[in-house]
Amino acid sequence: MEMSAAASSGMPGTTTSNSATNNASPHSPSSSLPLIPRTLGANKKKLEKAFLFDRYPSRKIALRLAYHGHVHDGLAKQKETDNTVEGIVCDALRRVRLIPEDGPHNFGRCGRTDKGVSALGNAFSLTARASCTADAAPQLPPLDYCNMLNNVLTPTIRIVGFAYVDDAFDARFSCVSRTYRYYFCHRGLNVAAMQQAAAHLIGTHNFRNFCKMDVVNVSNFTRTVLTAEVCTSADLPELISYFEITANSFLYHQIRCTMTVLFLVGRGVESPSVVPALLERGDCKPAYPLADGTPLVLWNCGFAGLQWQLSRRAFFCGGAGAAGYQRCVVHPRYCRCGDAAPTLPLVRGHR
């Protein structure tokens, strides 16, 4: 019995019946199925060479990052979702082979922001592949971590700087201060009264009445606020102001609880004296709603003696540079990054 041309070609899934083989000439157009071009190997996945992290020099580094919080499900990695800032950055680190396949070693995060909260100055610390070790002589130029990662990251997450750090450095515990900004529409609000109330926050106080209670994990509610003020935004001064606060650390939802009280003062429901009264009342927290987290931005994380090597190429928003990217994070309605950033509700009920 003669084999058809398709059968003799070795292509899978090409068979002919015995009758077609016996009744037609092997050179006749109707003697076999249409010939299929050979594509052997075209659909085979290229085997990637295993990345052996230990064969390369490595160093402890800190990464400074900015991101749109309202399009991600928080900063820290979660089992329920892949859309977290940490998860996406770790995937990018693996993709450019800066960390082992099993994940980053000696990893630390500075500010653990919730879903909806953005950042312009958050920080990670980890051990990453490097151009040379810390004790190598001579020292080689560092890898371009910012450009390497930004080439594979979504536009809503940018690595804006890096720094070499010592092995004892931890992005969380080495941080000496954190600065947040909360943007809001000041139409119909008494901004001067809000500023007067905010001034009472400065100093070392028990902020038990200005946070969401977490008595299981937190037993010390004393924090030191270095600065607290209400300022007019440079971008839209006729419409937008922001509350800026700097402290050594913050309690869970401390800023959002504080903004609720400041809004009550701004609307005339409470007087500025409500702030010192709450600071002195101990654990007698009144019931009040939590302010929206979308207008909250982690503006900066301070570290003693850390010299960031910033990347100007990391900031972009239609070619607007660093100022444009800041405006993009703070006021996403003006963003030019496509559909990544939806309209920002400045404050619910205060548009």
Side-chain angles (χ1 to χ4, degrees):
M1 180 175 64
E2 270 185 85
M3 295 179 63
S4 68
S8 63
S9 68
M11 295 298 295
T14 55
T15 58
T16 58
S17 65
N18 290 337
S19 60
T21 303
N22 295 332
N23 298 335
S25 168
H27 301 290
S28 171
S30 61
S31 63
S32 65
L33 294 175
L35 294 177
I36 302 175
R38 287 179 177 270
T39 57
L40 293 179
N43 296 326
K44 290 183 178 180
K45 184 177 181 180
K46 185 178 178 181
L47 296 177
E48 294 185 359
K49 187 176 180 180
F51 173 57
L52 302 177
F53 181 80
D54 294 337
R55 293 187 178 181
Y56 296 86
S58 61
R59 294 184 67 170
K60 189 78 171 285
I61 65 171
L63 296 176
R64 184 182 176 100
L65 64 155
Y67 49 87
H68 292 260
H70 47 277
V71 295
H72 298 291
D73 297 324
L75 174 80
K77 186 181 294 186
Q78 305 171 37
K79 294 181 180 179
E80 298 80 9
T81 176
D82 295 329
N83 187 32
T84 62
V85 175
E86 178 184 326
I88 295 172
V89 171
C90 287
D91 287 342
L93 287 164
R94 271 190 289 265
R95 185 173 177 183
V96 296
R97 299 191 169 184
L98 289 175
I99 61 172
E101 287 297 325
D102 61 351
H105 295 174
N106 305 312
F107 185 80
R109 64 183 77 87
C110 184
R112 183 169 179 170
T113 55
D114 296 328
K115 180 179 180 180
V117 180
S118 301
L120 280 170
N122 209 342
F124 288 156
S125 59
L126 66 151
T127 299
R129 177 168 62 88
S131 58
C132 63
T133 58
D135 55 357
Q139 285 287 303
L140 300 177
L143 299 178
D144 190 355
Y145 294 104
C146 298
N147 194 38
M148 292 172 66
L149 291 168
N150 289 332
N151 282 339
V152 297
L153 280 171
T154 172
T156 56
I157 303 175
R158 296 287 90 186
I159 305 300
V160 301
F162 93 97
Y164 285 134
V165 295
D166 56 47
D167 292 338
F169 181 90
D170 184 274
R172 177 185 177 187
F173 298 106
S174 299
C175 182
V176 296
S177 67
R178 295 168 175 85
T179 300
Y180 282 87
R181 287 186 179 183
Y182 192 102
Y183 285 80
F184 61 94
C185 174
H186 58 229
R187 182 180 297 161
L189 297 177
N190 186 341
V191 177
M194 295 175 68
Q195 170 59 37
Q196 185 179 351
H200 293 293
L201 297 168
I202 300 175
T204 301
H205 305 285
N206 182 345
F207 287 94
R208 191 183 185 98
N209 293 329
F210 287 89
C211 69
K212 187 173 182 180
M213 298 301 294
D214 186 10
V215 294
V216 175
N217 300 313
V218 179
S219 58
N220 181 13
F221 296 90
T222 300
R223 297 293 185 271
T224 300
V225 174
L226 304 175
T227 63
E229 58 181 340
V230 178
C231 306
T232 302
S233 172
D235 293 324
L236 295 170
E238 70 282 359
L239 184 64
I240 295 176
S241 293
Y242 61 85
F243 169 62
E244 181 175 287
I245 183 170
T246 301
N248 59 342
S249 62
F250 290 93
L251 297 166
Y252 187 41
H253 286 170
Q254 179 177 341
I255 301 171
R256 294 171 63 183
C257 289
T258 301
M259 283 309 304
T260 298
V261 176
L262 293 182
F263 284 140
L264 292 175
V265 173
R267 293 200 297 265
V269 178
E270 297 284 355
S271 67
S273 61
V274 69
V275 173
L278 289 173
L279 292 173
E280 297 170 0
R281 288 185 64 179
D283 58 353
C284 300
K285 180 184 176 181
Y288 53 77
L290 192 65
D292 184 20
T294 309
L296 183 59
V297 180
L298 176 53
W299 198 256
N300 185 47
C301 295
F303 300 93
L306 192 62
Q307 299 294 325
W308 291 108
Q309 299 186 41
L310 298 178
S311 171
R312 294 185 179 274
R313 297 174 60 186
F315 293 106
F316 75 95
C317 183
Y325 193 81
Q326 292 179 7
R327 188 180 304 111
C328 182
V329 170
V330 176
H331 310 304
R333 68 181 64 189
Y334 304 108
C335 178
R336 304 177 191 174
C337 296
D339 297 329
T343 300
L344 168 65
L346 293 174
V347 176
R348 290 176 181 170
H350 294 278
R351 291 177 181 267

